């Protein structure tokens, strides 16, 4: 059937009901999940929700983005259902965390993504400062964090967008120097367990960091990031 999400059996659609059952658990960080077949930008959607006063813990996922953004205004594109495009809404100011520590959040998200790729994909992954995840020496994922105002009581919101190439094929790569989990020979290219694992890892790191008042030392964030970073003592572009 033309336009059916099942026309490419290597790229089945995500199932919102199952994701909600797995992630929206009592006492957990995640409070709501929106799944779109297509949107311009999950970060823009989450930012708009933040300005409307949405609480911390919103997850916005899209099967395809038409205007996905990376750092410095770069575009982030992939075919429908070929990767993960997810943004989350956090409000660290409600926990009294000073804004000067928000810069650790994209590093935290990159670490969570790298850990997920290593654990489920069983491939060598590392973080590249400030916002990429590499498989081997090729970019496979990226992070874009944005502070969203105007501030509500308790401080501004932070939206973190995460993109991961999962089943993107050679001719579909926007950058010939990039890669995908499938091209890298990953053991898992099923987006649903990858997304669940990513959001659980992200929640675990965020709650640990928040409980430490955003301190990267006592939360172990700095040490674990340095251990996972593949660009220490190297020039980066």
């Amino acid at each position: 059937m033309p336009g059916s999400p099942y026309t490419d059996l290597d790229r089945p659609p995500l199932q919102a009901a199952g994701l909600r059952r797995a992630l929206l658990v009592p006492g957990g960080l995640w409070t709501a999940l929106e799944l779109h077949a297509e949107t311009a930008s999950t970060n823009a959607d989450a930012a708009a929700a933040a300005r409307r006063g949405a609480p911390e813990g919103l997850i916005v996922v899209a099967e395809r983005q038409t205007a996905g953004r990376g750092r410095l205004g770069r575009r982030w594109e992939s075919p429908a259902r070929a990767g993960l495009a997810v943004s989350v809404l956090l409000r660290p100011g409600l926990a009294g965390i000073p804004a000067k520590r928000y810069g650790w959040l994209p590093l935290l998200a990159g670490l969570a993504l790298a850990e997920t790729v290593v654990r489920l994909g069983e491939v060598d992954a590392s973080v590249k400062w400030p916002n990429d995840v590499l498989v081997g020496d090729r970019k496979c994922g990226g992070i874009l964090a944005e502070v969203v105002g105007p501030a509500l009581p308790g401080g501004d919101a932070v939206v973190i967008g995460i993109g991961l190439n999962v089943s993107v094929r050679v001719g579909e790569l926007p950058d010939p120097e990039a890669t995908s989990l499938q091209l890298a020979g990953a053991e898992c290219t099923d987006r649903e367990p990858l997304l669940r694992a990513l959001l659980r890892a992200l929640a675990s790191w965020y709650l640990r960091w928040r409980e430490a008042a955003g301190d990267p030392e006592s939360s172990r964030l700095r040490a674990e990031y340095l251990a996972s970073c593949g660009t220490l003592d190297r020039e980066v572009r």
Side-chain angles (χ1 to χ4, degrees):
M1 180 184 298
S4 168
Y6 293 96
T7 53
D8 188 337
L9 296 182
D10 288 335
R11 296 171 174 170
L14 297 168
Q15 300 297 323
L19 288 169
R20 291 190 179 104
R21 283 194 300 270
L23 295 167
L24 308 187
V25 297
L29 173 64
W30 308 122
T31 55
L33 183 143
E34 299 177 2
L35 175 58
H36 304 287
E38 181 175 296
T39 192
S41 163
T42 57
N43 258 34
D45 292 346
R51 294 187 186 99
R52 294 193 298 267
E56 180 171 73
L58 170 66
I59 305 164
V60 181
V61 186
E63 298 283 35
R64 178 173 180 265
Q65 291 188 114
T66 59
R69 292 175 294 126
R71 190 165 171 268
L72 303 178
R74 299 184 182 100
R75 295 182 66 84
W76 178 279
E77 296 180 358
S78 70
R81 303 179 304 282
L84 294 179
V86 55
S87 296
V88 299
L89 168 58
L90 304 175
R91 294 191 180 275
L94 294 177
I97 297 175
K100 65 182 180 181
R101 288 183 167 170
Y102 291 3
W104 283 98
L105 287 171
L107 308 187
L108 182 155
L111 181 60
L113 180 58
E115 288 180 348
T116 299
V117 169
V118 170
R119 186 165 66 85
L120 270 68
E122 299 183 30
V123 290
D124 180 31
S126 62
V127 290
K128 175 186 175 183
W129 184 89
N131 69 327
D132 291 343
V133 170
L134 308 180
V135 171
D137 286 326
R138 294 176 177 267
K139 180 173 179 176
C140 192
I143 314 295
L144 179 65
E146 302 176 281
V147 175
V148 180
L152 297 176
D156 292 325
V158 179
V159 169
I160 303 178
I162 302 173
L164 178 67
N165 293 332
V166 178
S167 64
V168 182
R169 298 159 187 147
V170 172
E172 298 169 335
L173 291 168
D175 181 347
E177 298 302 314
T179 191
S180 68
L181 295 185
Q182 186 176 80
L183 292 173
E187 288 296 317
C188 177
T189 56
D190 186 336
R191 293 181 307 137
E192 201 143 313
L194 285 165
L195 181 58
R196 291 197 305 266
L198 167 61
L199 289 167
R200 286 169 176 157
L202 180 57
S204 177
W205 269 113
Y206 175 71
L207 293 173
R208 186 187 310 182
W209 176 82
R210 193 177 71 179
E211 288 167 6
D215 180 16
E217 301 290 348
S218 60
S219 67
R220 297 282 303 163
L221 174 57
R222 183 177 187 276
E224 293 298 326
Y225 184 87
L226 291 175
S228 184
C229 186
T231 52
L232 287 179
D233 301 318
R234 295 172 58 188
E235 292 186 0
V236 298
R237 287 190 296 121

